[in-house]
Amino acid sequence: MRLTWADFWDLIATLSGAATHASRQHLAEELSRRPVPDIVGFAERHAEALYRLDQEKFSSLP
């Protein structure tokens, strides 16, 4: 089963809005409890989210 976008954003929500050392550690712990395909899926979704944000239309936002 592939990690869904909803699952991805649920995991991102564990950061509680800030990428502090503690919140990143919590995310890592959450991921470590999941099967390898979910971890790979998270990495793929993360890469895709960053790619989508790296678009010209976002570069001109104030």
Side-chain angles (χ1 to χ4, degrees):
M1 183 171 98
R2 187 166 182 215
L3 191 82
T4 66
W5 277 108
D7 293 334
F8 171 80
W9 290 114
D10 285 345
L11 285 165
I12 291 296
T14 67
L15 295 171
S16 299
T20 64
H21 177 73
S23 65
R24 290 188 315 263
Q25 184 67 31
H26 182 71
L27 174 59
E29 290 169 5
E30 289 290 325
L31 284 168
S32 73
R33 290 191 274 277
R34 292 176 173 254
V36 171
D38 279 3
I39 297 168
V40 172
F42 178 84
E44 291 172 346
R45 293 288 189 191
H46 185 250
E48 186 176 348
L50 291 175
Y51 177 79
R52 287 179 176 190
L53 285 170
D54 191 27
Q55 296 178 37
E56 188 174 341
K57 67 182 176 183
F58 294 122
S59 68
S60 61
L61 293 175

